[in-house]
């Protein structure tokens, strides 16, 4: 089982990673970040992506889908943004956010690695 710091370091090591954050979507606050900087303000991204998660959860409830969100992918011109909702004891209301450089990242591999990293996280 990995802690937040280890988890974020592993996220930052994914090929093409620009930055990553562990986010509480009940508050919109980043519990931890790695990377980012001038290229990407991870605290702003955490708050903005919280709105994305909340909107999708509401839409699913209104549609009565009776399912859960695995991940959300936002594709930009030069970046991929992955939002992986965490499940399990103590992880309800949390998501991992990973920003990737499209030219350097393998999206399928990054999704696979992010899921594996999330499975090891102990909050």
């Amino acid at each position: 089982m990995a802690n937040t710091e280890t988890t974020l370091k592993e996220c930052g090591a994914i090929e093409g990673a620009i930055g990553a954050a562990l986010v509480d979507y009940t508050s919109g606050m980043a519990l931890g970040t790695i990377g980012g900087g001038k290229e990407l303000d991870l605290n702003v991204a955490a708050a903005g992506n919280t709105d994305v998660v909340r909107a999708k959860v509401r839409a699913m409830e209104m549609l009565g889908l009776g399912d859960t969100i695995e991940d959300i992918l936002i594709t930009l011109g030069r970046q991929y943004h992955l939002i992986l909702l965490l499940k399990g004891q103590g992880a309800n209301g949390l998501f991992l956010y990973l920003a990737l450089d499209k030219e350097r990242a393998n999206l399928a591999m990054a999704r696979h690695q992010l899921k594996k990293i999330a499975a090891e996280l102990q909050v």
Side-chain angles (χ1 to χ4, degrees):
M1 293 299 211
N3 63 19
T4 301
E5 182 180 341
T6 301
T7 296
L8 290 171
K9 284 181 183 176
E10 289 175 357
C11 289
I14 293 174
E15 186 69 30
I18 297 169
L22 176 63
V23 183
D24 174 354
Y25 70 81
T26 57
S27 69
M29 300 295 294
L31 304 178
T33 63
I34 192 166
K38 287 190 323 185
E39 196 170 349
L40 179 66
D41 185 329
L42 289 167
N43 289 309
V44 171
N49 285 304
T50 292
D51 291 338
V52 170
V53 171
R54 288 177 183 163
K56 187 60 185 171
V57 168
R58 274 193 312 274
M60 289 182 59
E61 288 171 355
M62 291 187 314
L63 292 168
L65 295 178
D67 206 348
T68 59
I69 299 170
E70 187 173 317
D71 64 14
I72 298 169
L73 168 64
I74 300 168
T75 305
L76 305 177
R78 294 185 305 259
Q79 297 176 358
Y80 295 120
H81 291 215
L82 284 170
I83 300 167
L84 179 69
L85 277 69
L86 301 178
K87 297 167 181 67
Q89 187 176 7
N92 196 25
L94 301 178
F95 67 86
L96 276 173
Y97 166 71
L98 176 65
L100 299 162
D101 180 311
K102 268 177 125 173
E103 289 186 13
R104 298 184 302 126
N106 176 323
L107 180 58
M109 184 59 76
R111 285 184 73 213
H112 174 74
Q113 290 174 303
L114 191 61
K115 287 178 189 176
K116 185 177 178 184
I117 291 166
E120 295 295 319
L121 175 61
Q122 183 175 352
V123 182

